[in-house]
Structures are given as structure tokens and as C-alpha cells.
Amino acid sequence: MIYFDNSATTQPDSEVIRTFSAASASFFANPSSLHGLGIEADRLLERSRMQVAELAGMRDGTVVFTSGGTEANNQALFGLARANAGHGKKILMSSVEHPSVLNTADRLRCEGFDVVTVAAGPDGVLDLSDLEEKLTADTIVVSVMHVNNETGAVQPLEQAGRLIRQASPRAVFHSDIVQSFGKLPIPAGPDAISLSAHKFHGLKGSGALILKKNIHILPYLFGGGQQGGLRSGTVPVAHAAALAKAMRLAHESMDRTPYREWRDELIRFFGNFEKIRVIGGTDTAPHILSVAVRGIRGEVAVNALQEHGIYVSTSSACSSRSRRESHVLQAMKLREDFRHGVIRLSFGRQNKLEEITRFKEVFAGFMETIERV
Ligand SMILES: Cc1ncc(COP(=O)(O)O)c(C=O)c1O
């Protein structure tokens, strides 16, 4: 099996599974319980919380453990918008955000917030002049992802952060860094970031929203008041410990991954085919490579590769089943005859150089077949 669909999800690292099993077995008590077992579970939870904050570059920040990236993004947008509604109603986000941001924003529109999208260029990168034009003193939240899940486009968060500080000093800057954590350093700029463990060899059902100290946010899940009232529900201590472990492993391996060489090698290879366009600019994230094949549907390539044990996606795992046209490719104004033939390769820590070589052989065979028909 050659698994190049790591942006959809990754295979959990065995060390992460070990941490999860050990914590589940020995620290099963409810961390809110007053007895000794509860106190021990709470200690592990707090240790994990500190590690997560530190690895996210917000040592004295607030960590909200969530069920994943979707919940972290929902919590960020609902929580920050409602907490700051007294200062304004305007929320800005890029047009290429993940649906967990865009669809949450639609709900906020129904609550009376003024949600405005900022354009992306043909390379999928945020248009900073459009952002600058749309930032106003009453902007309360800006949400821009770090790496796009469909194209690998890297957003200029540091520059965006500077523009936000100048034009909208009251705005909280949130970034969905689900696709970039452990692949690229976390840029300075955002006040709040969303993470999902299963994108970096952690476990599905676990993630976090991490906020700089003193950022005001309201809960959107209510109940027993756990996690300082920010996210009610018995805290899954083993998930928290496993998330901290997955973050540490991803952080430690970041400078040692060969993804950039593999991506560049594949870009050269795809350049041999007149029918193929590499999507996104030259400066995309190292672990994601999307290409469009003219005149075919992406599913055809996905199925043909699968017959050889190679697993890739069409543009993104969420849009690939729904058959809806990708909002990201639309925003990038990709030509119609290319738009349906997009495949995405995304690398993870288990991949090897030989797999790139094998992919090229199989894919060249596939291209020969489609040239013939
Ligand atoms: C950029 C981005 N944000 C958020 C999510 C949602 O994360 P989760 O699957 O943990 O809910 C994904 C998942 O594909 C993603 O790629």
C-alpha cells in the first residue's frame, strides 16, 4: 500500500497509541473528581495542557481541548464573535477557508453578524490588498487558515496580522492551522489557532483551540463547566495526553521530513504531460501537491491508482464524496476543463522515496491509457 492521502487523515503513530492506552488504563478517573485518582488524572491533564500550549508557541495561553479541527473552528468563531459583539459585527475570512469555518460563518450571519469574505488570487493565496480594503475599526474577528487543505497554498499570516493590528486593533485574529502543524513553523500573528490531532499522526476525535493569554471568548457548549467553563463535558484525559505526544513527535520531525524534495521531484515529473497543470503557486506547503488533468474526472485517476495500491484524493476528502464543485478551485478560477480532474497527493511520516518512484511509474501508465482513448 502507498498512502498519499495524509491531508485527509494520517495513520496514528504507534507511540501515540501507546500513550493513549497507558493513560486510558491508569488515568481513567474523572479529572473533576475530588479523590486521589481524580487528582492524578487532573495532574496528567494539566501537564498535557501545558505541553500543548508550549508546542503551539503560546506558553501562557488558554487551551480548549476539542473533538477535532471542526469543533475548534466552531468554538473559535462562535466564541470570539459572541464575546466581542459589543465592539462591532464585522467578521472577515478568506474565501478558501475549510467548510468548518465557512459554514459556521453562515450561522453567524443568521445571528446578525456581517460576514465578509476576502478574495484569493489564482494561486489560492489571500489577496492582502483586498484584506486591507475590507478591514475596518469595527472588525471583531478575522479568520485565515495557514495552509489550504486542497491546494497546499500557504497564507501570508504575518503580513495579514500586521494589517489587522493597524486597521482593526480590536479584532481577534484566528487561524486554522490544521494542515500546517508539524509541517511548517507556526507564524507569528494569530491570537488563536485550531489544531486536529489526526492530521499529524495523532488520533481522530481530538484537537484543540489555543488562544493567547487574555483573549476573551465565550463557550458554545454548555453543561458542567469543565475546562474553565469554556467547553463542558468530562475531559478526555487520555486524548489530551495523546494530543500532546502527537504534537511533540510532529514538532521534532518537522525539519527532517523530505517532503519538499518529493514534491519538487513530482512537479518536474508532472511537467512532462501537456494535459496536466500543477495547482497553486510554486511556494505551496511541502506535503501537499494538487494537480489537474484536463478532460478527465479526478475519481477516474483515484480509482486507477487504487488498482495499484496507491491511495490519493480528489481535491479534498470532504468534497470528494459530495461531488459538489470545490469552492477553493472556483475561488482560484481554475479553468473548467481542468476543474473536474483534480487529484491531491499528501505525504506523511510513513512515506518513503521508493513510493514516489513507484507512483511515477504507475501514473505514467495511467496517462498513456487516457491518451489512447
Ligand atoms: C484545513 C482544515 N480545517 C479543519 C478540518 C477539520 O478537522 P477535523 O477532521 O479534525 O474535524 C480539516 C479536515 O480536513 C482541514 O483540512
Side-chain angles (χ1 to χ4, degrees):
M1 173 180 92
I2 298 180
Y3 184 77
F4 284 156
D5 197 14
N6 291 278
S7 283
T9 195
T10 54
Q11 199 175 10
D13 193 296
S14 53
E15 270 196 61
V16 173
I17 297 175
R18 261 201 303 280
T19 298
F20 183 76
S21 312
S24 299
S26 305
F27 298 89
F28 63 86
N30 191 322
S32 303
S33 292
L34 290 180
H35 49 66
L37 291 180
I39 290 168
E40 277 178 22
D42 191 49
R43 275 204 198 110
L44 176 59
L45 178 63
E46 286 317 305
R47 224 176 24 249
S48 307
R49 194 182 290 285
M50 276 163 54
Q51 285 167 359
V52 168
E54 169 112 41
L55 286 160
M58 295 189 187
R59 186 192 278 253
D60 54 358
T62 305
V63 176
V64 185
F65 290 109
T66 66
S67 62
T70 298
E71 189 191 322
N73 285 339
N74 272 256
Q75 169 66 74
L77 289 173
F78 281 129
L80 293 170
R82 291 172 186 166
N84 291 288
H87 308 305
K89 290 280 180 190
K90 190 164 175 186
I91 299 172
L92 295 185
M93 60 192 48
S94 85
S95 56
V96 294
E97 293 301 305
H98 187 265
S100 55
V101 168
L102 293 176
N103 294 337
T104 303
D106 279 344
R107 301 303 312 166
L108 287 168
R109 265 194 197 104
C110 302
E111 289 183 20
F113 288 94
D114 174 25
V115 179
V116 177
T117 52
V118 179
D123 52 2
V125 176
L126 181 79
D127 180 343
L128 284 169
S129 53
D130 194 37
L131 173 69
E132 194 169 12
E133 231 167 75
K134 288 174 175 163
L135 283 166
T136 47
D138 65 345
T139 303
I140 51 169
V141 180
V142 181
S143 188
V144 180
M145 70 200 324
H146 189 197
V147 165
N148 184 271
N149 48 303
E150 295 193 32
T151 62
V154 182
Q155 303 300 359
L157 297 189
E158 289 183 23
Q159 293 98 307
R162 280 197 289 276
L163 294 175
I164 296 166
R165 298 285 158 262
Q166 280 159 17
S168 312
R170 276 191 180 277
V172 180
F173 183 16
H174 164 257
S175 181
D176 169 348
I177 67 159
V178 163
Q179 290 290 346
S180 68
F181 184 81
K183 318 299 191 313
L184 292 174
I186 303 172
D191 303 304
I193 53 178
S194 297
L195 290 178
S196 175
H198 75 97
K199 305 291 187 182
F200 47 89
H201 302 279
L203 301 173
K204 286 168 231 348
S206 152
L209 173 68
I210 304 140
L211 305 120
K212 279 188 185 156
K213 199 177 165 191
N214 298 331
I215 296 291
H216 183 40
I217 186 163
L218 290 175
Y220 91 113
L221 275 183
F222 297 90
Q226 290 90 341
Q227 302 209 50
L230 281 178
R231 203 271 191 182
S232 283
T234 302
V235 191
V237 176
H239 264 299
L243 173 65
K245 169 68 79 154
M247 286 176 75
R248 191 170 61 70
L249 294 175
H251 185 76
E252 283 170 2
S253 67
M254 186 159 66
D255 296 331
R256 288 186 271 118
T257 55
Y259 305 151
R260 200 171 288 281
E261 288 106 81
W262 296 351
R263 189 200 54 175
D264 292 349
E265 169 63 28
L266 284 172
I267 290 177
R268 279 192 293 278
F269 165 73
F270 286 125
N272 296 324
F273 303 96
E274 181 271 321
K275 273 190 172 175
I276 294 185
R277 281 249 179 106
V278 172
I279 297 181
T282 44
D283 206 15
T284 54
H287 60 298
I288 299 179
L289 177 59
S290 279
V291 297
V293 188
R294 194 178 63 222
I296 65 153
R297 294 200 67 87
E299 298 90 290
V300 174
V302 169
N303 291 334
L305 291 167
Q306 182 174 244
E307 281 174 22
H308 296 269
I310 300 175
Y311 296 86
V312 301
S313 282
T314 51
S315 52
S316 81
C318 3
S319 60
S320 53
R321 289 226 176 184
S322 66
R323 283 180 160 261
R324 252 185 297 122
E325 198 155 277
S326 151
H327 66 287
V328 176
L329 302 178
Q330 272 174 358
M332 290 168 71
K333 300 191 172 58
L334 184 69
R335 256 172 51 182
E336 182 76 26
D337 50 346
F338 279 95
R339 217 184 268 173
H340 301 287
V342 173
I343 61 164
R344 178 189 69 184
L345 281 75
S346 46
F347 310 129
R349 292 208 295 271
Q350 81 291 352
N351 290 130
K352 299 184 184 67
L353 177 62
E354 303 88 89
E355 296 175 340
I356 303 291
T357 312
R358 174 74 185 140
F359 172 87
K360 289 196 297 186
E361 276 165 28
V362 172
F363 196 80
F366 168 71
M367 288 305 290
E368 251 180 65
T369 320
I370 62 166
E371 293 290 0
R372 265 190 259 122
V373 288

PDB file of all heavy atoms in Angstrom, residues 299-312:
ATOM      1  N   GLU A 299     -11.968  11.276  -9.993  1.00  0.00           N
ATOM      2  CA  GLU A 299     -12.282   9.929  -9.479  1.00  0.00           C
ATOM      3  C   GLU A 299     -11.660   8.839 -10.363  1.00  0.00           C
ATOM      4  O   GLU A 299     -11.304   7.773  -9.874  1.00  0.00           O
ATOM      5  CB  GLU A 299     -13.798   9.663  -9.454  1.00  0.00           C
ATOM      6  CG  GLU A 299     -14.602  10.557  -8.574  1.00  0.00           C
ATOM      7  CD  GLU A 299     -15.091  11.788  -9.320  1.00  0.00           C
ATOM      8  OE1 GLU A 299     -14.245  12.644  -9.646  1.00  0.00           O
ATOM      9  OE2 GLU A 299     -16.309  11.902  -9.554  1.00  0.00           O
ATOM     10  N   VAL A 300     -11.579   9.137 -11.680  1.00  0.00           N
ATOM     11  CA  VAL A 300     -11.035   8.134 -12.605  1.00  0.00           C
ATOM     12  C   VAL A 300      -9.573   7.849 -12.234  1.00  0.00           C
ATOM     13  O   VAL A 300      -9.144   6.686 -12.147  1.00  0.00           O
ATOM     14  CB  VAL A 300     -11.164   8.632 -14.070  1.00  0.00           C
ATOM     15  CG1 VAL A 300     -10.481   7.689 -15.043  1.00  0.00           C
ATOM     16  CG2 VAL A 300     -12.624   8.831 -14.422  1.00  0.00           C
ATOM     17  N   ALA A 301      -8.837   8.912 -11.964  1.00  0.00           N
ATOM     18  CA  ALA A 301      -7.426   8.739 -11.589  1.00  0.00           C
ATOM     19  C   ALA A 301      -7.321   8.063 -10.218  1.00  0.00           C
ATOM     20  O   ALA A 301      -6.491   7.164 -10.015  1.00  0.00           O
ATOM     21  CB  ALA A 301      -6.724  10.092 -11.574  1.00  0.00           C
ATOM     22  N   VAL A 302      -8.195   8.486  -9.276  1.00  0.00           N
ATOM     23  CA  VAL A 302      -8.155   7.898  -7.928  1.00  0.00           C
ATOM     24  C   VAL A 302      -8.371   6.389  -8.027  1.00  0.00           C
ATOM     25  O   VAL A 302      -7.626   5.594  -7.432  1.00  0.00           O
ATOM     26  CB  VAL A 302      -9.224   8.549  -7.008  1.00  0.00           C
ATOM     27  CG1 VAL A 302      -9.382   7.780  -5.699  1.00  0.00           C
ATOM     28  CG2 VAL A 302      -8.856  10.005  -6.712  1.00  0.00           C
ATOM     29  N   ASN A 303      -9.358   5.975  -8.826  1.00  0.00           N
ATOM     30  CA  ASN A 303      -9.655   4.540  -8.941  1.00  0.00           C
ATOM     31  C   ASN A 303      -8.552   3.780  -9.669  1.00  0.00           C
ATOM     32  O   ASN A 303      -8.180   2.681  -9.270  1.00  0.00           O
ATOM     33  CB  ASN A 303     -11.000   4.320  -9.653  1.00  0.00           C
ATOM     34  CG  ASN A 303     -12.143   4.787  -8.767  1.00  0.00           C
ATOM     35  OD1 ASN A 303     -12.018   4.802  -7.538  1.00  0.00           O
ATOM     36  ND2 ASN A 303     -13.245   5.200  -9.369  1.00  0.00           N
ATOM     37  N   ALA A 304      -8.013   4.401 -10.719  1.00  0.00           N
ATOM     38  CA  ALA A 304      -6.948   3.722 -11.482  1.00  0.00           C
ATOM     39  C   ALA A 304      -5.720   3.513 -10.585  1.00  0.00           C
ATOM     40  O   ALA A 304      -5.094   2.448 -10.606  1.00  0.00           O
ATOM     41  CB  ALA A 304      -6.589   4.545 -12.707  1.00  0.00           C
ATOM     42  N   LEU A 305      -5.392   4.512  -9.770  1.00  0.00           N
ATOM     43  CA  LEU A 305      -4.215   4.382  -8.898  1.00  0.00           C
ATOM     44  C   LEU A 305      -4.468   3.347  -7.804  1.00  0.00           C
ATOM     45  O   LEU A 305      -3.578   2.571  -7.438  1.00  0.00           O
ATOM     46  CB  LEU A 305      -3.876   5.749  -8.269  1.00  0.00           C
ATOM     47  CG  LEU A 305      -3.341   6.804  -9.245  1.00  0.00           C
ATOM     48  CD1 LEU A 305      -3.333   8.181  -8.602  1.00  0.00           C
ATOM     49  CD2 LEU A 305      -1.922   6.433  -9.713  1.00  0.00           C
ATOM     50  N   GLN A 306      -5.720   3.330  -7.335  1.00  0.00           N
ATOM     51  CA  GLN A 306      -6.058   2.381  -6.267  1.00  0.00           C
ATOM     52  C   GLN A 306      -5.861   0.934  -6.718  1.00  0.00           C
ATOM     53  O   GLN A 306      -5.472   0.076  -5.928  1.00  0.00           O
ATOM     54  CB  GLN A 306      -7.504   2.602  -5.829  1.00  0.00           C
ATOM     55  CG  GLN A 306      -7.902   1.683  -4.706  1.00  0.00           C
ATOM     56  CD  GLN A 306      -9.275   2.000  -4.175  1.00  0.00           C
ATOM     57  OE1 GLN A 306      -9.420   2.388  -3.042  1.00  0.00           O
ATOM     58  NE2 GLN A 306     -10.267   1.850  -5.028  1.00  0.00           N
ATOM     59  N   GLU A 307      -6.090   0.685  -8.006  1.00  0.00           N
ATOM     60  CA  GLU A 307      -5.879  -0.677  -8.515  1.00  0.00           C
ATOM     61  C   GLU A 307      -4.429  -1.121  -8.336  1.00  0.00           C
ATOM     62  O   GLU A 307      -4.126  -2.298  -8.336  1.00  0.00           O
ATOM     63  CB  GLU A 307      -6.265  -0.765  -9.992  1.00  0.00           C
ATOM     64  CG  GLU A 307      -7.769  -0.865 -10.152  1.00  0.00           C
ATOM     65  CD  GLU A 307      -8.203  -0.796 -11.605  1.00  0.00           C
ATOM     66  OE1 GLU A 307      -7.391  -1.081 -12.505  1.00  0.00           O
ATOM     67  OE2 GLU A 307      -9.381  -0.440 -11.813  1.00  0.00           O
ATOM     68  N   HIS A 308      -3.527  -0.154  -8.193  1.00  0.00           N
ATOM     69  CA  HIS A 308      -2.112  -0.481  -7.972  1.00  0.00           C
ATOM     70  C   HIS A 308      -1.721  -0.258  -6.508  1.00  0.00           C
ATOM     71  O   HIS A 308      -0.538  -0.140  -6.189  1.00  0.00           O
ATOM     72  CB  HIS A 308      -1.234   0.391  -8.879  1.00  0.00           C
ATOM     73  CG  HIS A 308      -1.463   0.129 -10.325  1.00  0.00           C
ATOM     74  ND1 HIS A 308      -0.746  -0.798 -11.052  1.00  0.00           N
ATOM     75  CD2 HIS A 308      -2.380   0.651 -11.177  1.00  0.00           C
ATOM     76  CE1 HIS A 308      -1.188  -0.824 -12.294  1.00  0.00           C
ATOM     77  NE2 HIS A 308      -2.184   0.042 -12.403  1.00  0.00           N
ATOM     78  N   GLY A 309      -2.728  -0.132  -5.647  1.00  0.00           N
ATOM     79  CA  GLY A 309      -2.441   0.020  -4.213  1.00  0.00           C
ATOM     80  C   GLY A 309      -1.975   1.413  -3.836  1.00  0.00           C
ATOM     81  O   GLY A 309      -1.341   1.599  -2.795  1.00  0.00           O
ATOM     82  N   ILE A 310      -2.286   2.418  -4.684  1.00  0.00           N
ATOM     83  CA  ILE A 310      -1.868   3.792  -4.374  1.00  0.00           C
ATOM     84  C   ILE A 310      -3.104   4.610  -4.021  1.00  0.00           C
ATOM     85  O   ILE A 310      -4.065   4.655  -4.801  1.00  0.00           O
ATOM     86  CB  ILE A 310      -1.124   4.436  -5.574  1.00  0.00           C
ATOM     87  CG1 ILE A 310       0.126   3.612  -5.902  1.00  0.00           C
ATOM     88  CG2 ILE A 310      -0.762   5.890  -5.284  1.00  0.00           C
ATOM     89  CD1 ILE A 310       0.883   4.078  -7.137  1.00  0.00           C
ATOM     90  N   TYR A 311      -3.077   5.243  -2.865  1.00  0.00           N
ATOM     91  CA  TYR A 311      -4.252   5.959  -2.374  1.00  0.00           C
ATOM     92  C   TYR A 311      -4.019   7.468  -2.395  1.00  0.00           C
ATOM     93  O   TYR A 311      -3.111   7.967  -1.740  1.00  0.00           O
ATOM     94  CB  TYR A 311      -4.586   5.502  -0.944  1.00  0.00           C
ATOM     95  CG  TYR A 311      -4.981   4.048  -0.929  1.00  0.00           C
ATOM     96  CD1 TYR A 311      -4.011   3.053  -0.828  1.00  0.00           C
ATOM     97  CD2 TYR A 311      -6.309   3.672  -1.091  1.00  0.00           C
ATOM     98  CE1 TYR A 311      -4.357   1.707  -0.863  1.00  0.00           C
ATOM     99  CE2 TYR A 311      -6.665   2.332  -1.129  1.00  0.00           C
ATOM    100  CZ  TYR A 311      -5.685   1.354  -1.021  1.00  0.00           C
ATOM    101  OH  TYR A 311      -6.043   0.037  -1.076  1.00  0.00           O
ATOM    102  N   VAL A 312      -4.826   8.169  -3.194  1.00  0.00           N
ATOM    103  CA  VAL A 312      -4.787   9.644  -3.238  1.00  0.00           C
ATOM    104  C   VAL A 312      -6.225  10.126  -3.151  1.00  0.00           C
ATOM    105  O   VAL A 312      -7.153   9.324  -3.123  1.00  0.00           O
ATOM    106  CB  VAL A 312      -4.127  10.167  -4.540  1.00  0.00           C
ATOM    107  CG1 VAL A 312      -2.700   9.647  -4.692  1.00  0.00           C
ATOM    108  CG2 VAL A 312      -4.947   9.805  -5.775  1.00  0.00           C
TER     109      VAL A 312
END
